[in-house]
């Protein structure tokens, strides 16, 4: 059983920055694509970013492209989400997730929540205007 634990959320003013971390249990972290999703009150969960297991290929939602950066440190079993130029509409609970399929490829954009099988409990990000 894989456990994912997010941290780093909080309250920040618009234009500010936060860095989220997600640490995974287990020994195979480096073999899986990892993703970040978010869910705002009254809205469906939406994809934010993903990073591949191999050469660190990344994919972003259009809404965060150029402002957010996903990265990973396989030696620490940790994936990060650096969030800059935050906007009030970025307010949400942020979840990290592990995509199904060890050493999986990306035949299409890895942005569907159905492709992910393990999820963290979430961390709240609130951006004030």
């Amino acid at each position: 059983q894989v456990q994912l634990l997010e941290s780093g959320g909080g309250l920040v003013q618009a234009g500010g920055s936060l860095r989220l971390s997600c640490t995974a249990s287990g020994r195979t972290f480096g073999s899986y694509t990892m993703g970040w999703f978010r869910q705002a009150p009254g809205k469906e969960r939406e994809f934010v970013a993903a990073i591949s297991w191999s050469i660190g290929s990344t994919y972003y939602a259009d809404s965060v492209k150029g402002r957010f950066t996903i990265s990973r440190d396989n030696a620490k079993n940790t994936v990060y989400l650096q969030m800059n130029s935050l906007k009030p509409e970025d307010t949400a609970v942020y979840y990290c997730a592990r995509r199904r399929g060890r050493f999986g490829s990306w035949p299409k954009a890895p942005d569907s929540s159905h492709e992910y099988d393990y999820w963290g409990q979430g961390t709240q990000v609130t951006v004030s205007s």
Side-chain angles (χ1 to χ4, degrees), residues 50-72:
I51 185 166
S52 70
W53 64 271
S54 57
I55 59 174
S57 297
T58 57
Y59 184 77
Y60 296 93
D62 288 343
S63 58
V64 306
K65 202 172 296 182
R67 300 188 298 122
F68 291 11
T69 302
I70 188 171
S71 61
R72 66 190 299 161

Side-chain angles (χ1 to χ4, degrees), residues 4-126:
L4 302 175
L5 183 62
E6 302 99 335
S7 61
L11 173 64
V12 64
Q13 289 188 330
S17 298
L18 283 175
R19 189 176 83 154
L20 306 183
S21 300
C22 171
T23 300
S25 64
R27 300 182 179 182
T28 59
F29 172 81
S31 306
Y32 290 89
T33 287
M34 298 297 296
W36 286 97
F37 290 76
R38 67 186 181 185
Q39 188 167 18
K43 295 187 177 181
E44 294 187 354
R45 189 171 298 187
E46 65 174 359
F47 171 80
V48 175
I51 185 166
S52 70
W53 64 271
S54 57
I55 59 174
S57 297
T58 57
Y59 184 77
Y60 296 93
D62 288 343
S63 58
V64 306
K65 202 172 296 182
R67 300 188 298 122
F68 291 11
T69 302
I70 188 171
S71 61
R72 66 190 299 161
D73 184 339
N74 290 339
K76 295 183 178 180
N77 275 19
T78 300
V79 59
Y80 304 97
L81 186 68
Q82 177 66 44
M83 306 186 294
N84 299 329
S85 303
L86 283 161
K87 305 175 182 180
E89 51 264 43
D90 294 319
T91 295
V93 177
Y94 284 71
Y95 300 88
C96 73
R98 193 189 79 171
R99 186 169 177 260
R100 289 190 182 89
R102 198 174 178 187
F103 306 120
S105 61
W106 291 4
K108 65 175 186 67
D111 57 1
S112 171
S113 62
H114 300 293
E115 299 177 30
Y116 294 78
D117 54 1
Y118 287 99
W119 295 80
Q121 85 291 343
T123 185
Q124 176 71 46
V125 171
T126 303

